[in-house]
Amino acid sequence: MREKIDALTQNLNRTIVGKHEAIRLVLVALLGGGHALLEDVPGVGKTLLAKSLARSLDGKFQRLQCTPDLLPTDITGTNIWSPKSGEFTFLPGPVFANVLLADEINRATPRTQSALLEVMEEHQVTVDGVSRPVPQPFFVIATQNPIEYQGTFPLPEAQMDRFMLSLSLGYPSADEELEMLQNLQQGIKVDELQPCMTLEEVAQLRHLCSKVQVETSLQQYILELVRTTRQDEEITLGVSPRGTVALQKATQALAFLLGRDYAIPDDVKFLAPHVLCHRLIPRGGRNARSVVERLLRAVPIP
């Protein structure tokens, strides 16, 4: 399966120039069975990365443009009365896909955002008392601009906790931006990407990731990191047990992507800021990443 991962990475690198770490993190979320939140300024390639991944997987892709007038049923689907049959027929919403891109998720109202809570955690949608499973594998990539606050609704803690990890792409270097312009002349487009991995192979890779060995000492290290966030005086809200599980699953996925069948402390240290920062609330406007980095220096490494 290693050649499949290499092919998928190469596919993404064709459209996303120089963002190897971001691509690896998105693949960690995919293979770890979680979801990814891309937080960055407009125009750096968040949507392009999500669409490129969806094109690379041989599954159904749906794009959801979040706006203040979006309704929960616009996400989940709704029952429509059919005069011909004399009964209600369920019209599925965009969540019935393998890869869902929720673009500018913080522009949807809290009521609409809550429509994603059930499906992101339980992989099912309940409408009028009937629960319907979504296709598997199911992967959500959401984007938001953390700088612009006009016309936005901050994601509640319960929603943020649904994302395995958060990341940002950042501005490209001068060489990378030049390569982008050259690719534009060569006509490399997302729509021209060919699927290089099937849904069955994604499921197999997820299973292999779950078999990566995590020693008890490393699990205790993960646990100590998380529990420290609940006791630190600079943090109002610490990381939940869901975050503990997410950090271990992400660690297993990263180790697998790096060609190992065992996890090491460096995997945890690399992923901790991406898995923990968006789950905690610092006191006094402190920066979440600097708080997590301080905890990483304070907690002994096994």
Side-chain angles (χ1 to χ4, degrees), residues 233-235 281-291 294:
E233 61 182 12
E234 293 185 359
I235 299 175
I281 300 178
R283 293 184 188 275
R286 291 180 173 87
N287 182 270
R289 189 178 184 92
S290 63
V291 171
R294 177 176 59 79

Side-chain angles (χ1 to χ4, degrees), residues 165-208:
L165 50 78
S166 65
L167 64 143
S168 63
L169 299 180
Y171 288 115
S173 66
D175 291 339
E176 291 167 353
E177 205 156 5
L178 176 60
E179 187 177 345
M180 288 170 51
L181 296 177
Q182 292 171 343
N183 288 347
L184 187 63
Q185 280 190 322
Q186 295 171 9
I188 299 176
K189 300 178 180 179
V190 177
D191 295 340
E192 296 174 357
L193 294 179
Q194 297 299 316
C196 58
M197 186 179 293
T198 65
L199 300 178
E200 291 75 17
E201 288 167 341
V202 174
Q204 292 174 19
L205 287 170
R206 285 183 169 183
H207 177 71
L208 292 173

Side-chain angles (χ1 to χ4, degrees), residues 57-288:
L57 303 179
D58 191 17
K60 185 178 181 182
F61 169 66
Q62 292 278 18
R63 184 179 187 275
L64 183 66
Q65 183 62 54
C66 296
T67 56
D69 60 348
L70 195 72
L71 298 175
T73 52
D74 294 329
I75 297 177
T76 61
T78 187
N79 288 307
I80 303 295
W81 175 257
S82 173
K84 184 176 180 180
S85 62
E87 58 185 18
F88 283 97
T89 303
F90 181 69
L91 182 65
V95 292
F96 287 87
N98 298 111
V99 179
L100 173 67
L101 168 60
D103 210 2
E104 295 187 297
I105 188 172
N106 56 335
R107 293 200 177 277
T109 62
R111 179 188 176 197
T112 301
Q113 290 175 13
S114 67
L116 288 168
L117 292 176
E118 180 186 15
V119 69
M120 289 180 68
E121 181 67 17
E122 302 174 37
H123 293 184
Q124 68 176 23
V125 169
T126 302
V127 177
D128 293 340
V130 179
S131 297
R132 295 176 173 85
V134 295
Q136 294 298 319
F138 176 67
F139 182 54
V140 175
I141 303 180
T143 72
Q144 68 172 357
N145 176 5
I147 305 300
E148 183 182 356
Y149 293 106
Q150 187 173 1
T152 63
F153 304 87
L155 299 183
E157 288 71 32
Q159 181 75 66
M160 296 293 279
D161 208 26
R162 288 332 195 246
F163 292 100
M164 172 174 278
L165 50 78
S166 65
L167 64 143
S168 63
L169 299 180
Y171 288 115
S173 66
D175 291 339
E176 291 167 353
E177 205 156 5
L178 176 60
E179 187 177 345
M180 288 170 51
L181 296 177
Q182 292 171 343
N183 288 347
L184 187 63
Q185 280 190 322
Q186 295 171 9
I188 299 176
K189 300 178 180 179
V190 177
D191 295 340
E192 296 174 357
L193 294 179
Q194 297 299 316
C196 58
M197 186 179 293
T198 65
L199 300 178
E200 291 75 17
E201 288 167 341
V202 174
Q204 292 174 19
L205 287 170
R206 285 183 169 183
H207 177 71
L208 292 173
C209 287
S210 68
K211 297 300 181 183
V212 170
Q213 181 64 31
V214 183
E215 295 292 340
T216 302
S217 60
L218 191 55
Q219 290 178 324
Q220 291 173 337
Y221 178 56
I222 291 173
L223 186 61
E224 184 64 21
L225 274 175
V226 172
R227 293 185 66 84
T228 303
T229 67
R230 304 170 191 166
Q231 303 161 359
D232 193 90
E233 61 182 12
E234 293 185 359
I235 299 175
T236 301
L237 178 68
V239 177
S240 70
R242 185 188 284 117
T244 312
V245 174
L247 184 52
Q248 174 165 304
K249 287 184 175 181
T251 299
Q252 290 175 300
L254 178 61
F256 183 81
L257 285 172
L258 295 176
R260 288 185 268 105
D261 61 358
Y262 59 91
I264 60 176
D266 282 347
D267 298 330
V268 179
K269 292 181 67 177
F270 171 73
L271 288 167
H274 300 287
V275 177
L276 304 182
C277 284
H278 65 283
R279 301 175 189 273
L280 55 83
I281 300 178
R283 293 184 188 275
R286 291 180 173 87
N287 182 270

